[in-house]
Amino acid sequence: MEQILNPLQTSLGRLKMNSPVTVASGTFALENLDFIVQEHLGAYVCKTITRYPKKGNPPPRLYETEAGLLNSIGLQNPGLDKFIAEDLPILRKTLTVPLIVSFSGASLNEFEQMLECLENQEGISGYELNVSCPNVENEGITFGIDPDVVYKLCALLSPLTNRELIVKLTPNVTDIGVITKAAEDGGATAISLINTIWGMAIDYRNGMSMLKKGIGGYSGIGIKPLALALTYRAAQAVKIPVIAMGEFITGRMLWNSFGLEHL
Amino acid sequence: MEQILNPLQTSLGRLKMNSPVTVASGTFALENLDFIVQEHLGAYVCKTITRYPKKGNPPPRLYETEAGLLNSIGLQNPGLDKFIAEDLPILRKTLTVPLIVSFSGASLNEFEQMLECLENQEGISGYELNVSCPNVENEGITFGIDPDVVYKLCALLSPLTNRELIVKLTPNVTDIGVITKAAEDGGATAISLINTIWGMAIDYRNGMSMLKKGIGGYSGIGIKPLALALTYRAAQAVKIPVIAMGEFITGRMLWNSFGLEHL
Amino acid sequence: MDKPRHQFLERTIYSREELCGDYFILWIWDEALGEKCQPGQFFEIRAHYSIADAEETRSLPKLFKPISIYDNAEGRIGFFIKKVGTGTNALYKLKAGDLLELIGPLGNGFPFVTGRRILLVSGGIGYPPLWYLQKELIKHNLLYWVHGGSGQNDVFPCDEIWTEDGSFGKKGMVTEGIRKLIAEKKIDLIYSCGPIPMLKECAGITNKLNIEHYCSLEAYMACGIGVCYGCAIPVGYENDWNYLRVCKEGPVFNAGEVLWNKF
Amino acid sequence: MDKPRHQFLERTIYSREELCGDYFILWIWDEALGEKCQPGQFFEIRAHYSIADAEETRSLPKLFKPISIYDNAEGRIGFFIKKVGTGTNALYKLKAGDLLELIGPLGNGFPFVTGRRILLVSGGIGYPPLWYLQKELIKHNLLYWVHGGSGQNDVFPCDEIWTEDGSFGKKGMVTEGIRKLIAEKKIDLIYSCGPIPMLKECAGITNKLNIEHYCSLEAYMACGIGVCYGCAIPVGYENDWNYLRVCKEGPVFNAGEVLWNKF
Ligand SMILES: Cc1cc2nc3c(=O)[nH]c(=O)nc-3n(C[C@H](O)[C@H](O)[C@H](O)COP(=O)(O)OP(=O)(O)OC[C@H]3O[C@@H](n4cnc5c(N)ncnc54)[C@H](O)[C@@H]3O)c2cc1C
Ligand SMILES: Cc1cc2nc3c(=O)[nH]c(=O)nc-3n(C[C@H](O)[C@H](O)[C@H](O)COP(=O)(O)OP(=O)(O)OC[C@H]3O[C@@H](n4cnc5c(N)ncnc54)[C@H](O)[C@@H]3O)c2cc1C
Ligand SMILES: Cc1cc2nc3c(=O)[nH]c(=O)nc-3n(C[C@H](O)[C@H](O)[C@H](O)COP(=O)(O)O)c2cc1C
Ligand SMILES: Cc1cc2nc3c(=O)[nH]c(=O)nc-3n(C[C@H](O)[C@H](O)[C@H](O)COP(=O)(O)O)c2cc1C
Ligand code: FES
Ligand code: FES
């Protein structure tokens, strides 16, 4: 059998970390810190922000299936300006571990603008480019599925920062290796995956979708085998670190399912 | 919420069926008929056969995860000639419901040869073209991910037969709609999906894959939300019937999860 | 930050009451916790599973379920629950002596008032939070409580009962009698809790009559602590609104500000 | 076709024995069924779940587990089981009076012989099928049974015991003494059952000495009835071999024909 275990990594590209455990964007916020010892985290990844505020999708936005969770939040967030004015100062004050800001732009240009704004802010250790949210049309997803676009995006942003530049990829693609490689070639310092996969649930009583939006993003234990397979593929395709997610919702993220259990 | 329930279909393209329930290729054989009333099936789909015998992959080939099954059988089968000489007569004698022969070729040419051989045989109601097995390299999978190839394959085969021509697609693609449409344009009379998705499990004690082959195909309850989402997408892209699978292993296949529960 | 910290608690169920229909009450006892609770607040609760159990049965971790505080007297906190699905079924099976997992108290709760003429309107499982509320309000206000259920198994102590099938009290929807009650009893404030259509109907009436009206909403929740934005509902004015979180900005909202036609 | 039909059965456990270590025995009683069984055959068994339970606990349907027939006397059929994981844990929790789901008897079983000088070699959970076998063989042959386990909790009645830690009987691997026993007892036939490395070691010896040797193999199974090809192992000769199914062509194979270095 193939040996795929890597020695536990405790530094990520340019970043030194206490621990290989981080949190998944959108599933963890300061509120969660009431429940755990912050210092056990390697880094804190905030919920994805966009250039302008986003209302998000209509309810219902959630449904729990037999083996996971469907969601269609739609990147509801206050937008970049309010994030910088209101959230960032609190994060700076509260966090004792590195802050990674997850963000998503509607165009290459918007990604660039956002990065430039964030570069002017103190207290940020890195970025996670969300090119993979399944719940937002024409934003994110078009980026994550095309290796050329992923390459261009990374090549555009990587010269602009010395901070960590993580690209979060979608599993909803034919060949994860190609896209991972494109991110590396473009200058990303790490890859994180996976975001949620397409998922749907039907109310058998009336044939309607359980989510207002129809199809949503599926996370949880049911996607763990896929996450492991794609992480393995991605890790084979590149030399930069690959951050795996796909365990269970809300603060149960493992940095690397391949290694963590050996702690 | 979107209404996605369709009235229950009991005919499939050119084929009339007792029931909308069929079986998933490779998970059901004559042995299973001991357990159910054959006439409750709409059709019987045999395990995928290839032009020449295939030994399959080395063991272990199976592992049960929290929410499904990983397999890497590798299309072990006796090959077309032996299938026609030995299995087909038994199937003909035993089955009282339509037989759909699942097959897979290593090239367009091989698909064509196989179809021509099978056309000469009595007692076959239709074909399921397996262009989607994740466990066989350079065979199947290269077909299922490229809409052009899927189109060419269907356009090549559809003029050669009056029997049902079902194409079984892989979920491991970026856009299922495009591929479904390609199959329809090429002349497929129905689409079936989904085949297994990529999956992997790691033995945490030694970091090794639970399957000898590393990555395998993942099926079962954990992929049901994905199967529903892709079936919905596929059904929106085409007018020909879409056959959904993705419930649980071994004889628990529903023809159409959208409709069956209303029976 | 001096916001209240969230608490993850495990408490023994000291008593379990079985009511008619699918209703039951679980009681825990914790005076310090009781002092923090307000009417209209809720807990996220879940049946306790040991990790050993989870592995053996492969029953998966499940979402916590939002359940209102039904009663709170000298530290005896009651949860009045209807068995409707997976999560509430698991709670139903708990016995006195078993462990309950809780997070809370959560949410904003009902505003406290004095010297008002109040109508309480509950429907179905909207009953429990109003029980706790009326206990607090009764000494300082004039109260009249009207409750609606589908049949005689869904009725509980209050001033006036409606059932859809007419099997108990008046026949019809509870909202049918409200206009008359408001006039008769010179009501100047309404508190309501129940299914969305009932609240919407009720809000239509109070909006027209310009009567103050606070309603407690139901939403499918994942985190329950404001992190995931899964429970959001539309609040504000036609041209200036946002999705607010039922678990954080709610569950009690000013009925005049909820955008009932955006659900 | 007059092949034996497979049976899906539900039988009450009339007795449950708890042994040392993690071993236990479940007994069912069915004379007609007992008459069909042969030593070396097995059943696919599973703890019974009602659909109601499955829905309430969201514990998922699980694979049946292959378990040998340990004893079969006047319809009393015993399953001698070691608790090692999910499926066997669920079986462990069953009590007398509970329902067991079974399919079987399955597999080929050991060939029956008379007038031979036989060595039985078992390792760990390879013990149970040899118990049933020796009961049938003992009147017609000369028998000597040697069993190996890791420690004193893994030993059971037989002629000679080896433990890896030396806590009972001789210290070492059971295979260490075989060569000497064959010579001393003038053995001309071996039956073996246990882990693959033990069988391989044992087959190496018998191949060299050219002694007839039947071994019963373990494999991870899904269907257990020959449908899925998940349990296949390599059998034949270097240049002419195939993957045969442990559940159908096995579990007993001629040790000289198993390709031990292809695992
Ligand atoms: C603030 C708040 C307070 C509540 N207080 C109480 C209480 O005191 N007592 C009580 O019995 N219940 C209360 N509820 C409702 C309770 O949370 C749900 O009934 C419960 O979550 C259902 O979970 P389940 O796993 O049993 O059902 P599921 O298996 O998840 O679903 C069963 C069915 O119920 C529907 N459903 C599930 N949850 C909701 C929901 N939140 N809103 C609308 N439909 C839903 C599903 O769509 C499905 O059709 C409250 C809800 C909220 C938001
Ligand atoms: C023909 C046959 C007869 C058998 N007879 C008996 C018997 O009489 N008594 C008995 O206790 N056991 C017997 N076994 C073994 C038994 O089937 C396995 O121990 C059982 O399937 C483990 O299931 P689980 O869900 O408890 O373990 P899992 O949770 O599936 O796995 C636990 C661990 O055991 C390993 N494992 C699981 N199944 C197998 C397997 N089949 N081969 C090798 N490793 C495995 C896994 O890789 C994992 O490391 C037999 C097996 C076969 C094929
Ligand atoms: C409710 C919810 C909200 C999410 N929001 C975001 C987000 O804002 N940005 C993002 O990159 N990923 C988001 N995700 C995806 C998670 O970060 C994670 O990639 C995904 O859930 C897979 O991991 P899991 O199976 O362990 O949950 C969200 C997931 C959930 C369930
Ligand atoms: C053990 C096993 C063998 C399979 N063999 C085949 C096969 O030969 N041909 C094929 O088209 N699909 C094969 N499949 C895929 C199934 O037909 C089906 O598409 C897949 O399992 C998804 O459905 P499910 O989740 O309901 O099992 C196999 C699946 C399993 C689990
Ligand atoms: S349930 Fe997560 S924000 Fe309300
Ligand atoms: S377990 Fe399916 S063929 Fe043996």
Side-chain angles (χ1 to χ4, degrees):
Chain A
M1 275 167 260
E2 279 177 275
Q3 167 80 43
I4 65 157
L5 178 70
N6 298 317
L8 201 60
Q9 276 171 318
T10 48
S11 72
L12 167 65
R14 304 158 185 165
L15 201 63
K16 290 270 165 258
M17 302 194 308
N18 299 337
S19 123
V21 180
T22 181
V23 300
S25 173
T27 66
F28 199 93
L30 289 182
E31 283 81 358
N32 298 77
L33 291 181
D34 297 347
F35 298 99
I36 61 159
V37 178
Q38 183 178 163
E39 287 68 24
H40 290 176
L41 292 176
Y44 175 97
V45 186
C46 70
K47 189 167 166 52
T48 302
I49 52 168
T50 52
R51 177 71 192 86
Y52 302 104
K54 281 192 87 69
K55 280 200 163 40
N57 292 325
R61 295 175 170 186
L62 294 171
Y63 185 71
E64 191 180 16
T65 69
E66 292 86 345
L69 182 69
L70 294 175
N71 87 78
S72 64
I73 311 297
L75 287 189
Q76 174 167 359
N77 80 93
L80 181 64
D81 299 340
K82 205 161 166 198
F83 172 79
I84 289 178
E86 295 177 14
D87 298 355
L88 195 55
I90 300 178
L91 287 168
R92 262 198 296 256
K93 218 170 65 190
T94 314
L95 292 179
T96 60
V97 296
L99 168 64
I100 291 172
V101 174
S102 167
F103 69 96
S104 182
S107 60
L108 288 178
N109 189 25
E110 204 175 278
F111 265 109
E112 189 181 0
Q113 272 177 30
M114 291 182 76
L115 186 90
E116 281 166 353
C117 275
L118 289 164
E119 277 291 299
N120 293 328
Q121 307 302 320
E122 301 280 304
I124 297 174
S125 302
Y127 306 109
E128 184 175 80
L129 308 179
N130 183 351
V131 293
S132 53
C133 179
N135 293 317
V136 181
E137 266 111 39
N138 300 324
E139 184 158 331
I141 192 68
T142 37
F143 282 93
I145 60 176
D146 184 337
D148 290 342
V149 179
V150 168
Y151 171 81
K152 274 193 206 132
L153 178 66
C154 296
L156 180 69
L157 301 190
S158 61
L160 305 180
T161 181
N162 288 318
R163 294 171 175 171
E164 200 62 29
L165 192 68
I166 306 166
V167 182
K168 180 164 179 181
L169 297 178
T170 171
N172 295 306
V173 294
T174 308
D175 188 341
I176 196 80
V178 175
I179 294 176
T180 312
K181 189 74 178 50
E184 182 183 54
D185 291 346
T189 65
I191 301 298
S192 70
L193 73 174
I194 60 179
N195 213 316
T196 53
I197 71 171
W198 303 120
M200 188 171 192
I202 313 280
D203 190 336
Y204 68 89
R205 288 161 302 194
N206 58 15
M208 311 266 254
S209 166
M210 286 293 194
L211 301 180
K212 177 80 164 196
K213 206 168 157 284
I215 293 177
Y218 176 39
S219 62
I221 195 88
I223 71 168
K224 185 175 161 190
L226 177 69
L228 284 171
L230 295 184
T231 305
Y232 176 57
R233 284 261 163 81
Q236 287 192 311
V238 295
K239 290 197 194 66
I240 54 177
V242 173
I243 307 166
M245 24 191 111
E247 192 67 3
F248 207 71
I249 48 157
T250 316
R252 289 258 249 111
M253 290 309 306
L254 301 185
W255 179 261
N256 188 326
S257 306
F258 296 3
L260 188 75
E261 280 130 321
H262 284 255
L263 271 180
Chain B
M1 274 166 259
E2 280 178 274
Q3 167 82 43
I4 64 156
L5 178 71
N6 298 316
L8 200 61
Q9 277 171 317
T10 47
S11 73
L12 167 65
R14 303 158 185 166
L15 199 64
K16 290 271 166 259
M17 302 194 307
N18 299 337
S19 124
V21 181
T22 181
V23 300
S25 172
T27 66
F28 199 93
L30 289 181
E31 283 81 356
N32 298 77
L33 291 181
D34 296 347
F35 297 100
I36 61 160
V37 179
Q38 183 179 165
E39 286 69 25
H40 289 176
L41 292 176
Y44 176 98
V45 186
C46 70
K47 189 168 165 54
T48 302
I49 52 167
T50 51
R51 177 71 192 86
Y52 302 104
K54 280 191 88 70
K55 279 200 162 43
N57 292 325
R61 295 176 170 183
L62 294 171
Y63 184 73
E64 190 180 17
T65 70
E66 291 86 344
L69 182 69
L70 294 175
N71 87 79
S72 64
I73 311 298
L75 288 190
Q76 174 168 358
N77 80 92
L80 182 64
D81 299 340
K82 205 162 166 198
F83 171 79
I84 290 177
E86 295 178 15
D87 298 354
L88 196 54
I90 300 179
L91 287 167
R92 263 199 295 257
K93 218 170 66 189
T94 315
L95 291 178
T96 60
V97 296
L99 167 64
I100 291 172
V101 174
S102 167
F103 68 95
S104 183
S107 62
L108 289 178
N109 189 25
E110 204 175 278
F111 265 108
E112 189 181 2
Q113 272 177 31
M114 291 182 76
L115 185 90
E116 279 166 353
C117 276
L118 290 163
E119 277 291 298
N120 294 328
Q121 305 304 319
E122 302 280 303
I124 298 174
S125 301
Y127 307 109
E128 185 174 79
L129 308 179
N130 183 352
V131 292
S132 54
C133 178
N135 292 318
V136 181
E137 265 110 39
N138 299 326
E139 184 158 332
I141 192 67
T142 38
F143 282 94
I145 61 176
D146 184 338
D148 291 343
V149 180
V150 168
Y151 172 80
K152 274 194 204 126
L153 177 65
C154 296
L156 179 68
L157 302 190
S158 60
L160 304 180
T161 181
N162 288 317
R163 294 171 176 171
E164 199 61 30
L165 192 68
I166 306 167
V167 182
K168 179 162 180 183
L169 297 178
T170 170
N172 296 306
V173 295
T174 307
D175 188 341
I176 196 81
V178 175
I179 294 175
T180 313
K181 190 73 178 51
E184 182 183 53
D185 291 346
T189 64
I191 301 297
S192 70
L193 74 177
I194 60 179
N195 213 316
T196 53
I197 71 171
W198 302 121
M200 188 170 192
I202 313 280
D203 190 335
Y204 68 89
R205 288 161 301 194
N206 58 14
M208 310 267 253
S209 166
M210 288 291 195
L211 300 181
K212 177 81 163 195
K213 205 168 157 282
I215 294 178
Y218 176 39
S219 61
I221 195 87
I223 70 168
K224 185 175 160 189
L226 177 69
L228 284 171
L230 296 184
T231 305
Y232 176 56
R233 283 260 162 81
Q236 286 193 312
V238 294
K239 290 196 193 66
I240 53 177
V242 173
I243 307 166
M245 22 192 112
E247 192 67 3
F248 208 69
I249 47 156
T250 315
R252 289 257 250 111
M253 291 309 306
L254 301 185
W255 179 261
N256 188 325
S257 305
F258 296 4
L260 188 75
E261 280 129 323
H262 283 256
L263 271 179
Chain C
M1 292 186 299
D2 41 6
K3 68 178 177 69
R5 281 177 66 89
H6 296 103
Q7 313 211 4
F8 173 76
L9 307 164
E10 290 185 357
R11 291 292 176 272
T12 305
I13 295 165
Y14 83 86
S15 161
R16 179 189 187 282
E17 287 179 56
E18 178 102 25
L19 308 180
C20 62
D22 292 325
Y23 297 89
F24 61 104
I25 308 179
L26 299 178
W27 292 93
I28 60 164
W29 187 4
D30 180 333
E31 295 195 25
L33 188 62
E35 277 168 23
K36 296 188 194 148
C37 298
Q38 302 291 332
Q41 287 191 300
F42 66 97
F43 280 80
E44 281 269 86
I45 73 177
R46 187 170 71 173
H48 175 81
Y49 297 92
S50 71
I51 286 183
D53 274 356
E55 280 184 4
E56 283 180 22
T57 61
R58 294 206 183 187
S59 68
L60 302 168
K62 274 160 236 80
L63 295 179
F64 281 77
K65 296 294 166 177
I67 301 291
S68 302
I69 304 164
Y70 158 65
D71 204 348
N72 174 20
E74 288 145 46
R76 285 171 188 79
I77 303 173
F79 301 106
F80 184 115
I81 305 173
K82 181 175 188 182
K83 195 171 61 154
V84 300
T86 317
T88 47
N89 258 312
L91 292 167
Y92 180 77
K93 289 205 204 160
L94 293 174
K95 299 175 300 295
D98 286 347
L99 272 184
L100 199 62
E101 300 183 356
L102 310 97
I103 301 169
L106 299 167
N108 56 357
F110 289 106
F112 183 74
V113 296
T114 53
R116 306 288 293 267
R117 304 179 66 92
I118 298 174
L119 181 65
L120 302 172
V121 186
S122 57
I125 200 56
Y127 181 88
L130 297 193
W131 176 263
Y132 181 20
L133 178 66
Q134 61 82 20
K135 281 180 69 176
E136 303 281 309
L137 292 178
I138 199 148
K139 285 171 251 159
H140 315 279
N141 302 274
L142 283 174
L143 299 185
Y144 191 82
W145 185 353
V146 50
H147 175 79
S150 42
Q152 60 192 359
N153 279 332
D154 305 290
V155 301
F156 313 104
C158 65
D159 296 308
E160 181 178 319
I161 283 174
W162 292 67
T163 55
E164 287 173 43
D165 63 5
S167 57
F168 196 99
K170 304 191 179 176
K171 183 179 164 120
M173 308 299 279
V174 64
T175 43
E176 289 172 29
I178 288 181
R179 209 180 290 264
K180 202 159 139 248
L181 283 173
I182 292 174
E184 270 177 26
K185 316 253 175 218
K186 304 206 172 60
I187 296 299
D188 59 21
L189 174 57
I190 289 189
Y191 291 101
S192 66
C193 186
I196 302 283
M198 181 199 102
L199 300 180
K200 180 178 179 174
E201 185 70 27
C202 203
I205 296 167
T206 54
N207 282 352
K208 222 174 247 161
L209 301 176
N210 206 13
I211 288 178
E212 207 176 342
H213 174 188
Y214 297 100
C215 57
S216 176
L217 268 78
E218 257 201 60
Y220 209 101
M221 293 186 183
C223 72
I225 58 171
V227 169
C228 74
Y229 285 82
C231 61
I233 56 141
V235 179
Y237 304 94
E238 228 14 88
N239 297 316
D240 174 22
W241 61 277
N242 266 306
Y243 284 117
L244 299 190
R245 294 161 294 186
V246 171
C247 71
K248 184 112 177 178
E249 285 87 29
V252 178
F253 292 92
N254 185 327
E257 294 176 3
V258 176
L259 293 172
W260 300 102
N261 48 13
K262 286 222 185 315
F263 273 87
Chain D
M1 293 186 300
D2 41 7
K3 66 179 177 68
R5 281 176 65 90
H6 296 103
Q7 313 212 3
F8 174 76
L9 307 163
E10 290 185 357
R11 290 291 175 274
T12 305
I13 295 163
Y14 84 86
S15 161
R16 178 189 186 283
E17 287 179 55
E18 179 101 25
L19 307 180
C20 63
D22 291 324
Y23 298 89
F24 61 103
I25 309 179
L26 300 178
W27 293 93
I28 60 165
W29 188 4
D30 180 333
E31 297 196 24
L33 188 61
E35 277 168 24
K36 296 187 195 148
C37 298
Q38 301 291 333
Q41 286 192 301
F42 66 97
F43 281 80
E44 282 269 87
I45 73 176
R46 188 169 71 173
H48 174 80
Y49 298 92
S50 70
I51 286 184
D53 275 355
E55 282 185 1
E56 282 180 23
T57 61
R58 294 207 183 187
S59 68
L60 302 168
K62 274 160 236 79
L63 295 179
F64 282 77
K65 297 292 165 178
I67 301 291
S68 303
I69 305 165
Y70 159 65
D71 204 346
N72 175 20
E74 288 145 45
R76 284 171 188 78
I77 302 173
F79 301 106
F80 184 115
I81 306 173
K82 182 175 188 181
K83 195 170 61 155
V84 300
T86 318
T88 47
N89 258 313
L91 292 168
Y92 180 78
K93 289 207 204 160
L94 293 174
K95 300 175 297 295
D98 286 347
L99 273 184
L100 200 61
E101 300 183 356
L102 311 97
I103 301 169
L106 299 167
N108 57 356
F110 288 106
F112 182 75
V113 295
T114 53
R116 306 289 295 266
R117 304 180 66 93
I118 298 175
L119 181 66
L120 301 172
V121 185
S122 57
I125 200 54
Y127 182 87
L130 297 193
W131 176 264
Y132 181 19
L133 178 66
Q134 61 82 22
K135 282 179 68 175
E136 303 283 308
L137 293 178
I138 199 148
K139 285 170 252 158
H140 315 279
N141 302 274
L142 283 174
L143 298 184
Y144 191 81
W145 186 353
V146 49
H147 175 79
S150 42
Q152 59 192 0
N153 279 332
D154 305 289
V155 300
F156 312 104
C158 65
D159 297 308
E160 181 178 318
I161 282 175
W162 293 68
T163 55
E164 287 175 43
D165 63 5
S167 56
F168 195 99
K170 305 192 177 177
K171 183 179 163 120
M173 309 298 279
V174 64
T175 43
E176 288 172 29
I178 288 180
R179 210 179 288 263
K180 204 161 137 248
L181 284 173
I182 292 174
E184 269 177 26
K185 315 252 175 221
K186 303 206 173 59
I187 296 299
D188 59 19
L189 174 58
I190 290 189
Y191 291 101
S192 67
C193 185
I196 301 282
M198 181 199 102
L199 300 181
K200 180 177 178 174
E201 185 71 27
C202 203
I205 297 168
T206 53
N207 281 353
K208 221 173 247 160
L209 301 177
N210 206 12
I211 289 178
E212 206 176 342
H213 174 188
Y214 297 101
C215 57
S216 176
L217 267 79
E218 257 201 59
Y220 209 103
M221 293 187 182
C223 72
I225 58 171
V227 169
C228 74
Y229 286 81
C231 60
I233 57 140
V235 179
Y237 305 94
E238 226 18 86
N239 296 317
D240 175 23
W241 61 277
N242 264 306
Y243 284 117
L244 299 190
R245 294 162 293 187
V246 171
C247 71
K248 186 114 175 176
E249 285 87 29
V252 178
F253 293 92
N254 185 327
E257 294 177 2
V258 175
L259 293 171
W260 299 103
N261 48 13
K262 285 222 185 315
F263 273 88

